[in-house]
Amino acid sequence: SKQSSDKAEQPSGGSTAAAPAAEKKLVVGFSQVGAESAWRTAETKSIQGEAAKRGVDLKFADAQGKQAQQIQALTSFIAQKVDAIVLAPVVETGWDAVLQQAKDANIPVILVDRGVKVSDDSLYTTLIASDFVEEGRMAAEWLAKKTNAKANIYELQGTTGSAPAIDRKKGFEEILAKNPDMKIVKSQSGDFTRAKGKEVMEAFIKSDGKNIQAVYAHNDDMALGAIQALEEAGMNPGKDVIVISVDAVKAAFEAMVAGKLNATVECNPLMGPLVFDTIDRVRKGEKLPKFIQNKDQLFEQANAAQVIGTREY
Amino acid sequence: MNFLRKHITVMAGVVAYLLLYAIAAARYDGFASLPVFINFLSNNAVLGIVAVGMTFVILSGGIDLSVGAVMSFSSVLIGVLIMDHHWSVFAAIGAAVACGSLLGAIMGAVIHRTGIKPFIVTLAGMFFVRGLAFIIHLESIAISDKAHTAIAITRVGPLPITALLLLGFVAAGWFVAVFTPFGRNVYALGGSEEASLLMGLPVQSTKIAVYALSGFCASFAGAALTFYLSSGSHLEGVGMELDAIATVVIGGTLLAGGVGSVFGTLIGVLMLGLILTSITTYEGMTSSGMTRVAIGALLLMFVLLQKVLMRRFVGVGRAT
Amino acid sequence: MGQNGAGKSTLIKLLTGVYPRDGGTITFEGKDFRPTSPGDAQKKGMSTIYQELNLIPTLTVAENLFLGRAPRKWFGIDWHAMRRKAEEILGTFDLKVPVDQPLGTMSAAVQQLVAIARAVQTEARLIIMDEPTSSLDSHETEVLLGIIERLKARGLGIIFVTHFIEQVYRVSDRITVLRNGTLVGTYEASKLSRLEMVSQMLGKVPEEVEPALHGSPESKGPAVVTAQGLGRRGVEPFDLTVHAGEVVGFAGLLGSGRTEAARLLFGADHPTRGTVNGFQPKSPRQAIDQGMAFLPEDRKADGIIPDMSVRENIALVVQRKLGFTVSRAQQEKIAQEFVTKLGIKTPSVEQPVRLLSGGNQQKVILARWLAYEPRFLILDEPTRGIDVGAKGEIERVIHQLSQKGLAVLFISAALEEVLRISHRIAVFRDRKKVGELSRTTLPEVMKVIAGEEPQPSADASKSAGEERNAS
Amino acid sequence: MALAALLVFNLIFTPGFARIELRDGRLFGTVVDIFQNGAPVMLLAVGMTLVIALGGIDLSVGSVMALSGAIAALLMTEHGQAVPTGIVAALAVALAVGALNGALVTFAGIQPIIVTLVTLVMGRGLAQTFTHDQKISFEIPTFEFIGNGTVLGLPFPALVVAGVALCVGLLLRKTSTGLYIEAMGGNPQAARLCGVRVHVIRILAFMACSLCAGMAGLIAAADIKEADVANAGLYLELDAILAVVLGGTSLTGGRANLMGSLIGAVFIQTLTVMLQMRGVITEHTLIIKAIVALAVCYMQTPAFEKLMQRVRPAEAKA
Ligand SMILES: Nc1ncnc2c1ncn2[C@@H]1O[C@H](COP(=O)(O)OP(=O)(O)OP(=O)(O)O)[C@@H](O)[C@H]1O
Ligand SMILES: Nc1ncnc2c1ncn2[C@@H]1O[C@H](COP(=O)(O)OP(=O)(O)OP(=O)(O)O)[C@@H](O)[C@H]1O
Ligand SMILES: [Mg+2]
Ligand SMILES: [Mg+2]
């Protein structure tokens, strides 16, 4: 961008290079949703850690789950003339005006982990994210294979109306539509929390008992709660009841190693390196695709033990 | 002096606000500029408009927990009407505001007819309206409509449309509170419902009207939200009721009813804006936890400062 | 007329649509009258001053006068005109108060006058007044009675409820007596003798009301309360000593500072200077620990706990003596004892106090303090809203207790009453204690109150009093 | 009565609702779940009853829950402290927050809703700061007992609730402090003139409420073997207030109906579980909750009584 073009930045190829102290530091504004889950905190930590490593001056703003506060943060980043903005949007809609301001000020905006719906996609530079629908599909496909496409499934949804909840359900149901013997018997919101996941699972157990063959949770926290509920009811999660979830946080690996969780689809929060690499590419004037997929993969009990050591979150 | 005495809470609020503003301006570069100040207005316009309605409810001795839900509901409804049913912007807003006012009026009528506490009725209202909003449309909905966008980017002088709406609501609210019989009846109702009844004031209609007014403001805030975000959103209203109540009370309105002012509420809005902006964006806190602690601490500082100023200037009265 | 709890206020509330009625008809101006609400009754020409002050304490005096019918300009309420008119109207009551101050900051008397002014200036054909004079002093009462006579002359009907027999005979043409919720009869005032009326009210021939009780106590006890230089903004520092077994009265005009002085003694307000018994009073709690008790002037705001039962209201203070654990049986016993002793009219001691009639609420608060057996009792307008029978009863109780060594401070707007009960009278004028008188007469007190003749300074008169008592 | 109606409905229409069996020496069944999962809200409701009876309100309870859970978990995991130490420290911090609430209301004269809103924001913030925004999981059987254990087959949390409710009930009905609390709620001016130590009592009430919240926080954390600072107790203040008001305690203060508050809390939990068991979708859950809550409150009003009086004679004739 123009205000810093006279002071050329050291092109940093990877995570090793740091900007020389004499140069003007790169200033990046990062607007985060909040700290509602372990996954989210890991994402924040990753970006903050990477910034520190590279000597980037990171302005962090926690929106506490409110879009209005994110917009407020963005307008003030723009007013402070940062070099780039990283935005993890609370919701998909409603970004036109403020992104237009950023564009007018010539500040590149990198979206992370969730897209936005805008009338003109030149308003943001690129999106680095996982595909929630794909995660749902992966979970369902794995479950189909595991159960020979025959299962009574109980679903623990994320927060009602939230994008991951809607998309992970959507992707999952897409695959189910092709497998008539797999059906979701009951589906309730567990608000993405362990406590609610446990409570809802307890209710399922009391009403349907032995009928429960598989549990699909929209995140690991709820799955862990459900596992606890199953155990307390004297059932055997991981064996009598197949449990699969999304996120792949460390605790999920522990549960897999213990044989209680069957599989988890990764939704990788460690975006730091990729984000700053992308910013560097932008500043070098590279043309970027609109979507950079953050690679997701599915982990099951078999490979859990190997991976667990490398998990930081 | 007499003027100062009469409006002591608001004046103390203004002084405390100016003090904190001065501190922030000294601390952060570029804080003391018109655009930043205008941002306070436009960024908090939605909350502010809701709070104006809430001011009347609290003045009347009631409370309305449904405002956040009504606000979200209205924004989603506007989105659905414009995007899925191709209504014109004004028709959509009109319909949403009519629905919001009606919901408010129903809650008011239930409160009056059954004698159930406003807290419960409006809490139930909150659940109900939120459920309703999900039923209309599960996800938040983006609005891309020429006329809508045209309004959204309208500016009058330096003021964006949302800021303008906020100022308009505050001015209108102030006028209604001070110069109309309805406004005075609201104060009387909050001062003593029993006495209002014995004095022959229209208690029933005032009560219903107060909640309808709150619904009106909340649903209009929903419209303002669509201008601000170009979308109808389920999430923005969550927890807003407490913010709105806090705004009103910080502005010097007594939760017990009968005492307070709409202008005070504007101070409350500006104050919250100042705190949030300075902490979440200028201070550059690195942890969410510290951000919350700082917000709380600043809020407390403001309220304490307000109290100290009041004691300084008037001394404490007979009442404890 | 009728005793406390006879049903006067209830009847009025039925008349004006506050309560729904079970049966019967009301004919007003020859037509069937069925008000749906007090507002409706007002619109139909029946204006009422209810017994418990029913105004909005948080609004200004002017607004309370004009609420619902404020003067308007093209854009809305005309505040200037309202203020001006308010001052004008209150002027006819000889009342000079800042009309843009909240009503709640005014004394009970001012509030009462505002309520009257509000009712009188409507276009009503019938005005109902439930004990309007109970908190007025003689001058204010005089003004009000004058206004009633003027209204009468204009052809308005007036229903006037009071416990003051003099006043009834001053203004009434006919007198209706109620007893125990039933009608005893309606009589031409000129044909009903006072004694007859009182016996109709009580249902029996009354015992002789005791003659003047004043005079120095037979044996003067030690000083129970000694205040020195006690004062705060709005009350000039004053000295006061009350001895065991002595009744000291406070006399003065409306707003002369009697209530404020009493509150300082009790620690209800923090004095900025001076001491009571060597301490600077900090809280009522401290005062109570020293054996003081205080019956406040405004029973609704400072006295009753409306939702609590009669038992709990009475037990509230004495519980300190009964200990940390509550025994319901013990509370009940005490409450029952005072219900009988003071003749509190209530279906049971478990009745919420707010459902009692005004006078009976007052007795409950008195019972609360008597149960505590204090050494020093401050009574601020204790007889407000209490019927003749009960008034005599209360006076007798005070007299008895003082003979047993209780020190009493007695405040009342009715001078005769102060004179009858007190051994010594402290006079207040313009928020200042201006003198102390013993064995005095009505005209003498009036003179000091009015400040008509140069009187000795407070200190001088006090020491004079001391000497006389010592001899 | 409403609770009874709801129970009858469940017995008939929700399969497995009333089944209680003994497994591994503990009772097992939906009703047990209700008491176990409802324990935190019940505790909050007990504490809240005190504060509301006094004419106040405490919005900070949810944050205090998060804070106490976090502190106990931190001490027991990262600092290797013994379980009792962790519990005592967590409760002490809860008490401190309550004292702060009470002191600010009393001495600074700030309205309770504002004071506790501030502690609501700050309390969770502090918890997040202490834990560096992380969830803290643990495997400490003695501590988990608080959330999961059973005594004679009964869930331990329910016993805690019973114990606390008994204490508070005795306080309210059998001690002078209870009398003073209600007096203060009914008419603070008059209470002061009667020598009630309004300051002390107000502070104590806020402390008691926070203590209850602290206990609720420990139970909630122990139950899921994790201190979840971001979500523990979130929005639970509204549930607690709802329980209290459903139970018949007026928000304007003056009267405490402790039993009612408990029933209110059980009622809320029963309704939630019922909707979960029946698999009602969330959108509808909200609406059903709204209507049921209103209906229950309506049944308690005089207006409803009058209606019933009109209906009954008609029935008798028929
Ligand atoms: N419907 C009713 N049934 C039974 N008792 C009632 C009813 N309505 C009122 N009362 C009782 O009748 C009594 C009459 O009270 P009211 O206030 O009318 O007395 P009052 O004559 O105005 O007395 P005071 O001189 O003390 O003001 C009260 O004790 C009240 O509780
Ligand atoms: N006529 C008046 N003019 C102005 N202010 C008044 C008047 N009467 C009362 N007040 C106000 O009412 C307040 C109460 O005074 P206070 O209660 O000490 O008087 P009091 O001698 O007890 O009289 P009373 O109880 O008969 O009203 C004072 O602060 C005063 O400002
Ligand atoms: Mg009466
Ligand atoms: Mg007085």
Side-chain angles (χ1 to χ4, degrees):
Chain A
S1 63
K2 51 181 191 245
Q3 73 264 30
S4 54
S5 56
D6 44 344
K7 291 182 183 175
E9 291 279 336
Q10 186 90 11
S12 43
S15 54
T16 44
E23 300 271 346
K24 181 177 172 280
K25 270 188 171 182
L26 183 69
V27 183
V28 174
F30 172 33
S31 170
Q32 176 61 292
V33 173
E36 77 283 1
S37 66
W39 188 92
R40 184 70 61 196
T41 332
E43 182 185 56
T44 307
K45 289 255 150 72
S46 162
I47 292 178
Q48 284 176 339
E50 192 66 20
K53 221 187 264 161
R54 299 187 187 211
V56 174
D57 179 4
L58 187 78
K59 293 195 177 298
F60 173 76
D62 180 327
Q64 320 219 340
K66 300 247 166 70
Q67 184 177 20
Q69 281 195 41
Q70 283 202 300
I71 293 184
Q72 209 163 332
L74 257 52
T75 49
S76 93
F77 289 153
I78 296 166
Q80 295 173 65
K81 303 199 173 73
V82 297
D83 297 312
I85 290 173
V86 178
L87 168 67
V90 175
V91 289
E92 296 180 327
T93 54
W95 298 101
D96 284 277
V98 69
L99 291 184
Q100 185 66 49
Q101 278 184 46
K103 192 182 170 190
D104 294 345
N106 246 331
I107 300 174
V109 175
I110 317 283
L111 303 174
V112 293
D113 75 62
R114 194 176 299 173
V116 297
K117 289 180 187 152
V118 282
S119 48
D120 167 12
D121 67 5
S122 76
L123 287 180
Y124 63 91
T125 311
T126 185
L127 160 70
I128 304 174
S130 311
D131 182 345
F132 298 141
V133 182
E134 181 57 29
E135 289 164 2
R137 284 190 210 113
M138 282 165 82
E141 271 159 8
W142 179 88
L143 195 60
K145 228 186 294 157
K146 176 88 180 174
T147 61
N148 293 323
K150 235 179 131 153
N152 290 332
I153 305 164
Y154 288 74
E155 185 183 32
L156 298 172
Q157 296 175 38
T159 307
T160 312
S162 69
I166 292 168
D167 289 351
R168 285 174 189 165
K169 186 174 177 60
K170 194 161 124 200
F172 195 83
E173 284 173 347
E174 265 175 37
I175 305 298
L176 254 51
K178 296 179 203 149
N179 297 290
D181 285 341
M182 289 174 79
K183 58 174 191 299
I184 296 182
V185 184
K186 274 180 188 166
S187 176
Q188 283 281 297
S189 170
D191 282 343
F192 283 133
T193 69
R194 197 192 272 204
K196 264 283 172 205
K198 183 178 178 202
E199 191 185 313
V200 172
M201 197 64 219
E202 279 171 353
F204 285 166
I205 294 170
K206 301 296 150 31
S207 65
D208 295 32
K210 294 273 176 287
N211 192 28
I212 303 171
Q213 293 167 339
V215 174
Y216 168 47
H218 287 184
N219 80 347
D220 288 336
D221 285 326
M222 292 190 291
L224 293 171
I227 287 171
Q228 236 178 291
L230 288 165
E231 283 185 314
E232 280 170 21
M235 296 161 97
N236 244 332
K239 297 183 186 66
D240 315 346
V241 179
I242 293 169
V243 184
I244 178 165
S245 64
V246 187
D247 269 5
V249 298
K250 189 164 185 175
F253 281 89
E254 283 162 1
M256 282 198 287
V257 170
K260 295 171 182 170
L261 179 70
N262 297 79
T264 178
V265 179
E266 178 177 47
C267 180
N268 188 357
L270 302 183
M271 305 213 172
L274 189 54
V275 164
F276 287 100
D277 285 348
T278 310
I279 293 176
D280 288 336
R281 284 168 69 193
V282 177
R283 293 172 58 77
K284 274 188 276 176
E286 272 183 45
K287 181 101 186 78
L288 293 178
K290 277 286 145 186
F291 179 57
I292 301 176
Q293 179 157 14
N294 199 17
K295 256 285 163 255
D296 290 339
Q297 71 183 102
L298 188 138
F299 296 97
E300 36 185 352
Q301 289 177 351
N303 56 12
Q306 304 156 349
V307 187
I308 192 167
T310 66
R311 284 277 127 168
E312 294 167 26
Y313 56 93
Chain B
M1 192 57 209
N2 207 350
F3 179 81
L4 188 67
R5 233 164 226 268
K6 204 169 152 198
H7 301 279
I8 186 66
T9 335
V10 174
M11 290 327 255
V14 171
V15 174
Y17 177 74
L18 291 178
L19 270 175
L20 289 189
Y21 190 88
I23 295 172
R27 198 175 152 92
Y28 313 116
D29 286 344
F31 196 90
S33 65
L34 189 62
V36 172
F37 184 77
I38 288 173
N39 272 347
F40 289 165
L41 289 178
S42 67
N43 285 332
N44 296 291
V46 175
L47 176 64
I49 295 171
V50 168
V52 168
M54 183 71 85
T55 310
F56 282 89
V57 178
I58 293 183
L59 278 178
S60 81
I63 198 138
D64 188 352
L65 297 179
S66 72
V67 287
V70 171
M71 194 278 295
S72 288
F73 166 81
S74 143
S75 76
V76 172
L77 182 63
I78 291 172
V80 169
L81 290 179
I82 293 179
M83 300 307 290
D84 296 354
H85 300 274
H86 310 290
W87 287 35
S88 81
V89 186
F90 294 106
I93 292 179
V97 169
C99 281
S101 311
L102 183 69
L103 284 168
I106 292 173
M107 282 184 260
V110 170
I111 291 167
H112 186 82
R113 283 268 147 214
T114 62
I116 307 176
K117 289 275 143 38
F119 186 91
I120 296 287
V121 174
T122 57
L123 186 65
M126 167 173 119
F127 291 143
F128 187 86
V129 175
R130 196 168 285 157
L132 216 56
F134 279 130
I135 287 175
I136 314 181
H137 203 262
L138 190 58
E139 283 175 275
S140 295
I141 180 169
I143 302 173
S144 54
D145 173 85
K146 274 225 187 66
H148 188 270
T149 318
I151 299 175
I153 58 172
T154 304
R155 274 172 177 267
V156 177
L159 292 175
I161 180 83
T162 44
L164 210 62
L165 280 175
L166 172 64
L167 293 180
F169 265 82
V170 169
W174 171 75
F175 179 83
V176 170
V178 176
F179 285 107
T180 65
F182 165 72
R184 302 322 293 173
N185 290 347
V186 171
Y187 277 85
L189 188 57
S192 164
E193 179 169 350
E194 192 196 347
S196 301
L197 202 67
L198 293 180
M199 284 169 97
L201 301 178
V203 168
Q204 167 165 357
S205 58
T206 304
K207 222 183 215 178
I208 295 174
V210 156
Y211 288 91
L213 179 66
S214 175
F216 173 83
C217 288
S219 48
F220 217 100
L225 185 79
T226 66
F227 292 132
Y228 185 61
L229 298 181
S230 310
S231 76
S233 161
H234 285 295
L235 290 171
E236 284 303 302
V238 176
M240 183 176 258
E241 54 285 344
L242 288 187
D243 287 347
I245 295 170
T247 311
V248 172
V249 179
I250 288 172
T253 298
L254 278 189
L255 208 55
V259 180
S261 73
V262 177
F263 185 70
T265 299
L266 179 65
I267 300 293
V269 174
L270 288 175
M271 191 60 220
L272 279 189
L274 174 70
I275 291 175
L276 290 180
T277 309
S278 54
I279 295 295
T280 55
T281 59
Y282 281 86
E283 192 57 44
M285 291 270 169
T286 51
S287 103
S288 311
M290 284 316 292
T291 309
R292 294 179 133 257
V293 173
I295 290 175
L298 267 187
L299 193 59
L300 187 62
M301 217 169 90
F302 170 76
V303 182
L304 283 176
L305 198 60
Q306 200 180 7
K307 288 280 166 200
V308 169
L309 287 171
M310 279 171 68
R311 290 210 180 151
R312 252 296 114 80
F313 289 135
V314 229
V316 207
R318 181 190 264 192
T320 29
Chain C
M1 297 290 289
Q3 272 184 286
N4 291 136
K8 305 179 294 294
S9 303
T10 309
L11 179 67
I12 287 168
K13 289 184 174 171
L14 274 171
L15 270 176
T16 54
V18 180
Y19 298 151
R21 73 184 111 133
D22 298 335
T25 55
I26 304 169
T27 310
F28 180 47
E29 298 181 319
K31 276 183 286 210
D32 188 40
F33 184 68
R34 288 185 176 275
T36 52
S37 70
D40 188 39
Q42 231 170 72
K43 248 181 262 140
K44 291 178 176 158
M46 205 183 262
S47 179
T48 314
I49 304 153
Y50 296 94
Q51 178 177 15
E52 294 306 326
L53 282 174
N54 276 298
L55 294 171
I56 317 287
T58 49
L59 292 181
T60 64
V61 173
E63 274 211 88
N64 269 293
L65 276 174
F66 287 105
L67 211 53
R69 44 167 188 272
R72 308 182 56 160
K73 262 201 249 184
W74 57 271
F75 58 82
I77 292 170
D78 183 351
W79 286 88
H80 275 284
M82 184 152 100
R83 215 163 296 153
R84 216 186 42 239
K85 281 197 192 173
E87 274 163 7
E88 221 170 83
I89 291 170
L90 292 183
T92 61
F93 286 85
D94 277 2
L95 195 61
K96 274 211 166 40
V97 289
V99 294
D100 49 6
Q101 289 284 311
L103 184 76
T105 61
M106 307 283 157
S107 71
V110 174
Q111 300 192 21
Q112 184 70 61
L113 285 175
V114 172
I116 294 166
R118 180 181 163 89
V120 166
Q121 46 133 352
T122 52
E123 302 284 297
R125 271 101 57 205
L126 176 69
I127 297 181
I128 304 174
M129 303 181 180
D130 196 354
E131 303 196 26
T133 54
S134 62
S135 54
L136 301 186
D137 69 7
S138 53
H139 173 67
E140 305 296 338
T141 306
E142 207 46 52
V143 173
L144 175 69
L145 295 183
I147 286 173
I148 290 180
E149 269 157 7
R150 253 187 288 147
L151 293 172
K152 226 166 86 176
R154 265 206 268 148
L156 269 75
I158 290 171
I159 298 177
F160 182 63
V161 177
T162 186
H163 291 297
F164 296 105
I165 297 175
E166 293 303 321
Q167 295 171 13
V168 179
Y169 280 96
R170 244 303 287 277
V171 294
S172 311
D173 299 314
R174 277 180 302 144
I175 297 173
T176 295
V177 178
L178 300 181
R179 186 171 68 230
N180 278 334
T182 53
L183 174 71
V184 176
T186 298
Y187 312 91
E188 291 294 325
S190 50
K191 291 182 192 140
L192 183 69
S193 80
R194 293 173 192 218
L195 187 66
E196 223 175 313
M197 184 191 69
V198 173
S199 42
Q200 296 279 23
M201 274 169 61
L202 302 180
K204 61 176 183 197
V205 179
E207 303 153 34
E208 270 299 299
V209 174
E210 292 196 21
L213 302 164
H214 72 83
S216 25
E218 286 87 84
S219 59
K220 202 182 91 167
V224 176
V225 173
T226 319
Q228 272 171 339
L230 199 61
R232 122 189 200 114
R233 196 168 65 183
V235 187
E236 302 261 326
F238 66 94
D239 294 342
L240 183 76
T241 308
V242 186
H243 299 270
E246 192 184 23
V247 179
V248 173
F250 275 6
L253 291 178
L254 183 72
S256 55
R258 295 161 298 171
T259 297
E260 303 239 343
R263 288 178 63 93
L264 283 183
L265 278 171
F266 190 65
D269 296 325
H270 295 265
T272 46
R273 66 182 74 144
T275 57
V276 176
N277 291 353
F279 301 99
Q280 178 143 29
K282 285 207 180 56
S283 65
R285 186 180 170 75
Q286 206 184 31
I288 294 170
D289 282 340
Q290 291 184 14
M292 294 203 205
F294 175 63
L295 184 115
E297 164 181 54
D298 185 343
R299 68 169 159 258
K300 201 172 173 187
D302 298 332
I304 58 166
I305 317 272
D307 288 327
M308 280 193 155
S309 65
V310 171
R311 166 178 62 83
E312 286 168 309
N313 266 285
I314 292 178
L316 200 52
V317 179
V318 73
Q319 186 61 45
R320 296 154 59 91
K321 281 190 180 160
L322 301 182
F324 180 65
T325 53
V326 164
S327 152
R328 202 178 157 135
Q330 202 174 10
Q331 287 186 350
E332 221 157 271
K333 203 179 120 234
I334 294 173
Q336 203 60 59
E337 177 192 328
F338 279 94
V339 164
T340 323
K341 198 157 159 191
L342 297 181
I344 298 172
K345 212 175 169 76
T346 174
S348 89
V349 290
E350 296 307 323
Q351 182 88 342
V353 115
R354 79 186 134 81
L355 297 180
L356 262 51
S357 81
N360 283 305
Q361 292 180 1
Q362 185 76 333
K363 290 187 199 168
V364 168
I365 304 173
L366 185 63
R368 172 192 291 168
W369 290 111
L370 293 184
Y372 179 68
E373 296 173 355
R375 293 193 302 139
F376 176 50
L377 176 61
I378 304 171
L379 300 168
D380 195 355
E381 313 276 1
T383 51
R384 209 181 118 197
I386 285 192
D387 66 53
V388 266
K391 209 177 272 183
E393 190 57 43
I394 285 182
E395 285 180 10
R396 214 164 10 248
V397 169
I398 294 171
H399 184 66
Q400 270 168 15
L401 289 172
S402 78
Q403 278 180 333
K404 282 192 207 145
L406 178 72
V408 178
L409 178 61
F410 185 84
I411 307 176
S412 171
L415 267 185
E416 314 79 55
E417 202 175 58
V418 180
L419 276 165
R420 186 163 60 241
I421 293 177
S422 315
H423 301 118
R424 193 145 55 88
I425 293 175
V427 180
F428 281 74
R429 179 175 0 108
D430 295 337
R431 351 211 84 242
K432 191 173 162 186
K433 187 177 155 199
V434 290
E436 259 185 43
L437 307 156
S438 318
R439 300 171 203 272
T440 177
T441 57
L442 193 56
E444 216 176 305
V445 181
M446 302 260 267
K447 267 185 203 155
V448 182
I449 288 175
E452 266 176 6
E453 60 186 35
Q455 73 279 346
S457 78
D459 276 340
S461 86
K462 191 184 126 229
S463 49
E466 301 274 274
E467 272 161 33
R468 222 170 302 157
N469 283 328
S471 60
Chain D
M1 178 165 116
L3 186 67
L6 195 69
L7 286 177
V8 170
F9 178 85
N10 274 318
L11 288 178
I12 300 172
F13 295 103
T14 312
F17 186 85
R19 200 185 312 133
I20 295 184
E21 36 191 300
L22 203 62
R23 274 193 209 169
D24 311 329
R26 56 153 57 189
L27 291 173
F28 179 87
T30 307
V31 178
V32 181
D33 280 359
I34 289 173
F35 279 95
Q36 172 144 3
N37 291 333
V41 175
M42 290 167 80
L43 275 175
L44 294 188
V46 168
M48 193 71 82
T49 307
L50 283 177
V51 173
I52 289 182
L54 197 126
I57 198 153
D58 188 351
L59 299 180
S60 71
V61 287
S63 291
V64 171
M65 276 180 73
L67 191 59
S68 90
I71 287 186
L74 265 181
L75 286 177
M76 285 183 275
T77 56
E78 283 176 25
H79 299 276
Q81 297 288 334
V83 172
T85 319
I87 293 176
V88 169
L91 295 183
V93 170
L95 277 175
V97 175
L100 180 72
N101 282 337
L104 283 172
V105 170
T106 297
F107 297 118
I110 309 174
Q111 300 193 45
I113 195 164
I114 293 297
V115 169
T116 56
L117 192 69
V118 166
T119 39
L120 165 115
V121 175
M122 285 178 84
R124 196 174 294 279
L126 276 181
Q128 286 176 324
T129 310
F130 292 153
T131 59
H132 305 287
D133 287 345
Q134 299 286 3
K135 295 180 185 189
I136 302 175
S137 346
F138 45 80
E139 293 278 340
I140 308 170
T142 37
F143 183 55
E144 284 160 26
F145 184 83
I146 293 180
N148 270 321
T150 56
V151 176
L152 302 173
L154 297 169
F156 184 70
L159 294 177
V160 173
V161 173
V164 171
L166 191 71
C167 290
V168 173
L170 285 178
L171 180 85
L172 277 173
R173 291 285 154 257
K174 289 284 164 215
T175 70
S176 54
T177 310
L179 185 69
Y180 297 154
I181 287 178
E182 292 191 339
M184 275 178 65
N187 186 347
Q189 298 265 73
R192 194 176 83 92
L193 289 180
C194 289
V196 174
R197 269 181 298 197
V198 282
H199 297 339
V200 177
I201 288 188
R202 195 176 287 133
I203 292 175
L204 284 179
F206 273 101
M207 284 173 76
C209 182
S210 269
L211 185 66
C212 286
M215 288 192 259
L218 291 178
I219 290 176
D223 186 30
I224 56 168
K225 307 180 190 175
E226 181 182 78
D228 178 354
V229 284
N231 296 306
L234 200 62
Y235 300 124
L236 236 46
E237 60 280 354
L238 288 184
D239 276 5
I241 298 171
L242 182 63
V244 172
V245 182
L246 276 179
T249 300
S250 159
L251 270 180
T252 47
R255 273 284 169 226
N257 188 344
L258 191 67
M259 207 51 215
S261 301
L262 286 174
I263 292 176
V266 172
F267 179 81
I268 295 172
Q269 190 66 27
T270 309
L271 187 63
T272 311
V273 171
M274 179 193 102
L275 295 173
Q276 282 165 352
M277 287 179 75
R278 300 179 59 80
V280 176
I281 57 172
T282 319
E283 301 91 282
H284 295 176
T285 305
L286 286 169
I287 292 184
I288 294 172
K289 235 181 170 172
I291 292 173
V292 173
L294 266 188
V296 170
C297 283
Y298 183 56
M299 282 191 250
Q300 298 175 355
T301 59
F304 179 74
E305 240 165 66
K306 256 188 231 151
L307 187 76
M308 289 314 284
Q309 278 164 2
R310 246 183 290 150
V311 174
R312 279 208 191 105
E315 273 173 8
K317 266 182 224 154

